[in-house]
Amino acid sequence: MRQQFAELCSIPVELGKGMVSKQLMAHEWLPSLLTELYEHHSSEDLNRLSSQLLHSERSASAIPISETVDAGIADGAATGARWDSSSCVLIAYADSVIADDQPGLRCLQALLHRHFQGLSSVVHVLPFLCATSDGGFAVASHEQIDQRFGDWNDLAALAEGRQLMADLVLNHISASHPWVRAFLKGEQPGARCVLAAAPNPCWDNVVRPRSSALFTTLATDRGPETVWTTFGPDQVDVNWREPEVLLGFTRLLDLFCRYGVQWLRLDAVGFVWKQPFTDCIHQPQAHRLVEVLRLLLESRCPQGVVVTETNVPEQENLSYLTTGAEAHLAYNFPFPPLVLEACLSRRADLLNAWLARWPQLPEGTGLLNFTACHDGIGLRPLEGLMESDRLLQLLKQCEQRGGLVSHRRLADGLEVPYEINISWWSAMAAPGRDPSHHQRARFLLTQLLLLTVPGVPAFYLPALLATPNDNARFRLSGHRRDLNRPQFQRDRLERLLADPESDTNQVVATLQQAMAVRRGQAALDPFAPMKVLSEGRSDLVILQRGEGASMLFAIHNFSDVRLSFPLSMLAASTGSVWHDVLNGHSLVAGQTALDLEPFAVHWLIR
């Protein structure tokens, strides 16, 4: 059954017929998927639940797709492609840009319109609903946007001319959420939506993302009761065995779609299902839930994209793509720490070895490639990829640049490094007396590499703005992730972007130009083949993209010295005149070598 479903999911649909075909698919497959989630419910109950989940799909989209996407995205949609070489995700908080006279979403919209054309075809607005902690990930309401950010109409305005990605925070809710308040009072059905459990040996093997207590005791009208708090005491886990939870998140999905959201980020989805005597991560029901949410999204938005976020070892992360019926995209979590280590150690051997075994994924799926994001740089994805001595050196080098290391707790109580908290710009600083030495070149090397690998590139707004560690914000909050969650005064940011000598201006301009080049190169299509020509080397990363006449070679110097690169290393180089499309110049006819400056990048075509 699942293979048939995966095959159906990979069939492109035309926009005119897409809504009908996706609705039919949802009506056909949803009841069987619900059976796997709610095995103790009758088929009659599940058919009724399926109808409830699908009944609002026709009214969910208040904004026609033609009004929310530009011509490039619409062309891609018409051919069945959900993303192409023009696709680029920009990650930002709703209040990343602040001004006294406007809510955050309007400030963000104005900034993107004026300065980030070409870098914001998809905008991931980090949690904007009313929340109590964790940068918005402790959601207190599934209906209201935090008034500091604006309202639903401001979100819809941001969707004009682009696609929006928003978070479904699936594992937990704020301790102030209505479901938790209902739990305290014993009011149904909300009380059933909270996951209550007591410490028990059956939970001894639970995989933890934090070092805080797994359970928290709440004072209810019935006396003290214990609930799951996987991510901390203000984030109470929800009970996915209760259908009301799925109905509640479906109502939120309807709101998202109604106001222009087409991409869904499934936050920490691997943790949602707890099964006694297991590690409580990536349970089969978690995978079925991803399939259900994909069906529900596509029934409302045929070109919708489901993105899974699982900061775990590589094969676990890829498991949400390999069936072809679950996520469309998955965050490429090994990419940030491997690229960071290669830059700081000036040794790209581990990065080359990993790139050389790039995964072969089902048609229509891919990886979301990123370096910086609102969270730290995850270390679990390095398990099996980097030996402990090199990891230790990486941690030390980041601490020397002002970074901090957060930990998680193992089942035996031991705490181990979980993520590095540092801004990507500060991470690119040089050791020694002059931190700015080669800092911009290092930074651009890492961001340009994003554009040359298969998949969809994603940029974090504070990183694009060349922002160092926000030590003041961290000292104020005490939260390590706040080192990399800055806010920008609109007027000051406008001055930086207008200054041609600023790092901010130079970074944005360089990457806008690179994205324009990428859009014109068939070899850099997200699905074009890739071959690594530098496996075994430590100084260079050389990628061959595409085939035949459209072939492109991306050459990255990860060393801090000037190198001479023999062009004979490139396939079919004899008699070729090479053009560097990234830097806009041609090599001299008969030239046999290319001079590479420290941390330089070149995109060569014949």
Side-chain angles (χ1 to χ4, degrees):
M1 180 188 77
R2 183 141 292 108
Q3 183 178 356
Q4 291 175 305
F5 179 37
E7 290 172 354
L8 281 171
C9 287
S10 68
I11 299 174
V13 294
E14 297 178 12
L15 279 179
K17 302 176 182 178
M19 184 68 78
V20 175
S21 61
K22 291 297 184 180
Q23 287 173 0
L24 291 174
M25 186 186 299
H27 280 288
E28 180 178 355
W29 293 104
L30 187 56
S32 61
L33 289 172
L34 294 176
T35 301
E36 298 185 50
L37 287 176
Y38 309 116
E39 56 184 12
H40 298 302
H41 290 69
S42 69
S43 58
E44 182 180 348
D45 287 342
L46 295 182
N47 283 327
R48 188 182 307 114
L49 174 61
S50 178
S51 296
Q52 286 179 278
L53 294 170
L54 294 170
H55 87 281
S56 62
E57 61 199 25
R58 289 190 177 122
S59 61
S61 182
I63 304 173
I65 288 176
S66 61
E67 295 180 12
T68 62
V69 296
D70 60 26
I73 299 172
D75 288 345
T79 62
R82 287 179 163 82
W83 57 85
D84 57 26
S85 57
S86 70
S87 300
C88 176
V89 177
L90 185 65
I91 307 166
Y93 276 101
D95 61 348
S96 290
V97 186
I98 55 176
D100 293 337
D101 58 340
Q102 282 191 323
L105 285 169
R106 292 183 205 170
C107 291
L108 181 61
Q109 180 191 15
L111 178 80
L112 299 185
H113 180 72
R114 288 191 60 175
H115 299 287
F116 287 87
Q117 298 297 326
L119 292 174
S120 58
S121 64
V122 182
V123 175
H124 174 200
V125 187
L126 289 158
F128 46 79
L129 296 169
C130 290
T132 53
S133 64
D134 195 22
F137 284 89
V139 177
S141 169
H142 285 155
E143 298 176 354
Q144 294 180 325
I145 291 180
D146 189 314
Q147 64 180 1
R148 294 173 301 142
F149 309 150
D151 56 28
W152 289 102
N153 290 326
D154 292 317
L155 187 73
L158 183 62
E160 293 177 5
R162 60 180 61 89
Q163 294 172 300
L164 288 188
M165 176 157 69
D167 290 89
L168 285 184
V169 186
L170 297 172
N171 180 76
H172 49 264
I173 50 178
S174 165
S176 300
H177 190 279
W179 287 344
V180 179
R181 295 203 300 269
F183 177 80
L184 298 179
K185 297 177 181 179
E187 297 173 350
Q188 303 300 342
R192 297 195 301 271
C193 297
V194 170
L195 187 59
N200 187 292
C202 70
W203 308 122
D204 284 351
N205 295 320
V206 172
V207 169
R208 299 300 316 287
R210 298 286 186 272
S211 58
S212 56
L214 182 60
F215 301 101
T216 298
T217 300
L218 301 180
T220 77
D221 290 354
R222 305 170 301 283
E225 292 199 21
T226 304
V227 296
W228 279 74
T229 51
T230 301
F231 284 81
D234 189 43
Q235 292 165 291
V236 178
D237 292 20
V238 298
N239 178 21
W240 278 100
R241 285 183 167 82
E242 169 54 50
E244 180 62 30
V245 170
L246 180 56
L247 284 167
F249 276 95
T250 302
R251 290 190 288 270
L252 175 57
L253 173 61
D254 284 341
L255 263 178
F256 280 173
C257 293
R258 187 173 302 130
Y259 290 96
V261 172
Q262 298 183 55
W263 289 38
L264 282 184
R265 177 183 182 270
L266 306 186
D267 177 68
V269 65
F271 294 95
V272 296
W273 199 274
K274 281 73 174 180
Q275 192 72 23
F277 300 104
T278 72
D279 57 10
C280 295
I281 189 170
H282 313 309
Q283 295 299 300
Q285 294 88 345
H287 288 275
R288 299 298 80 75
L289 177 60
V290 176
E291 292 184 56
V292 167
L293 293 172
R294 172 170 168 164
L295 274 178
L296 295 180
L297 175 63
E298 290 184 342
S299 71
R300 292 153 168 80
C301 176
Q303 292 301 118
V305 174
V306 170
V307 186
T308 46
E309 186 269 339
T310 52
N311 187 0
V312 293
E314 184 175 24
Q315 293 309 309
E316 296 177 34
N317 185 43
L318 295 176
S319 69
Y320 292 87
L321 294 175
T322 50
T323 67
E326 298 178 45
H328 300 100
L329 289 167
Y331 277 75
N332 194 355
F333 275 106
F335 195 97
L338 285 171
V339 171
L340 177 61
E341 196 276 338
C343 258
L344 298 191
S345 69
R346 301 179 300 283
R347 295 168 59 193
D349 53 329
L350 295 182
L351 177 60
N352 272 320
W354 176 73
L355 289 168
R357 54 178 185 78
W358 194 267
Q360 297 297 310
L361 299 171
E363 184 179 358
T365 66
L367 292 167
L368 189 70
N369 301 306
F370 70 107
T371 54
C373 73
H374 63 289
D375 287 340
I377 299 163
L379 299 175
R380 289 213 66 202
L382 290 179
E383 294 176 16
L385 299 179
M386 185 180 295
E387 55 270 27
S388 59
D389 60 332
R390 286 184 72 162
L391 174 57
L392 180 60
Q393 287 303 311
L394 174 61
L395 300 183
K396 288 180 177 179
Q397 289 171 325
C398 288
E399 288 178 335
Q400 291 167 1
R401 291 162 171 82
L404 298 169
V405 179
S406 296
H407 294 73
R408 70 184 184 98
R409 184 172 297 162
L410 302 181
D412 60 6
L414 180 67
E415 292 191 3
V416 297
Y418 178 69
E419 68 179 20
I420 302 169
N421 302 117
I422 191 171
S423 88
W424 196 263
W425 181 257
S426 290
M428 295 295 104
R433 295 182 179 179
D434 183 9
S436 65
H437 185 60
H438 292 319
Q439 186 175 22
R440 188 192 298 171
R442 273 194 201 87
F443 180 89
L444 287 172
L445 165 71
T446 64
Q447 305 311 296
L448 291 169
L449 182 60
L450 287 177
L451 302 185
T452 59
V453 294
V456 178
F459 299 108
Y460 183 44
L461 180 60
L464 288 187
L465 298 174
T467 310
N469 295 327
D470 193 340
N471 292 302
R473 189 176 178 92
F474 164 64
R475 284 193 296 267
L476 188 64
S477 71
H479 299 304
R480 297 181 176 209
R481 286 180 171 175
D482 281 347
L483 278 172
N484 192 32
R485 293 178 175 179
Q487 285 182 315
F488 303 93
Q489 290 289 339
R490 182 179 60 189
D491 293 343
R492 180 178 179 274
L493 188 52
E494 289 286 352
R495 288 194 296 271
L496 279 174
L497 287 163
D499 179 2
E501 299 302 317
S502 72
D503 289 314
T504 300
N505 177 291
Q506 290 289 312
V507 165
V508 171
T510 299
L511 293 176
Q512 281 179 325
Q513 186 265 340
M515 272 300 298
V517 173
R518 185 177 189 260
R519 288 194 292 271
Q521 294 295 321
L524 294 179
D525 182 89
F527 300 102
M530 178 177 76
K531 182 178 180 181
V532 178
L533 305 182
S534 49
E535 190 173 5
R537 295 188 67 146
S538 290
D539 52 353
L540 300 178
V541 171
I542 309 166
L543 305 180
Q544 175 186 310
R545 292 296 313 277
E547 297 174 315
S550 66
M551 194 180 299
L552 180 146
F553 297 89
I555 304 166
H556 311 79
N557 182 5
F558 271 82
S559 77
D560 58 358
V561 298
R562 200 164 186 258
L563 299 175
S564 179
F565 174 72
L567 294 171
S568 59
M569 280 194 62
L570 305 182
S573 62
T574 303
S576 296
V577 175
W578 294 98
H579 182 63
D580 185 345
V581 292
L582 180 61
N583 299 297
H585 64 263
S586 296
L587 279 63
V588 178
Q591 184 175 339
T592 60
L594 176 65
D595 290 331
L596 303 176
E597 296 298 325
F599 306 107
V601 181
H602 297 268
W603 293 353
L604 300 185
I605 64 172
R606 288 196 293 272

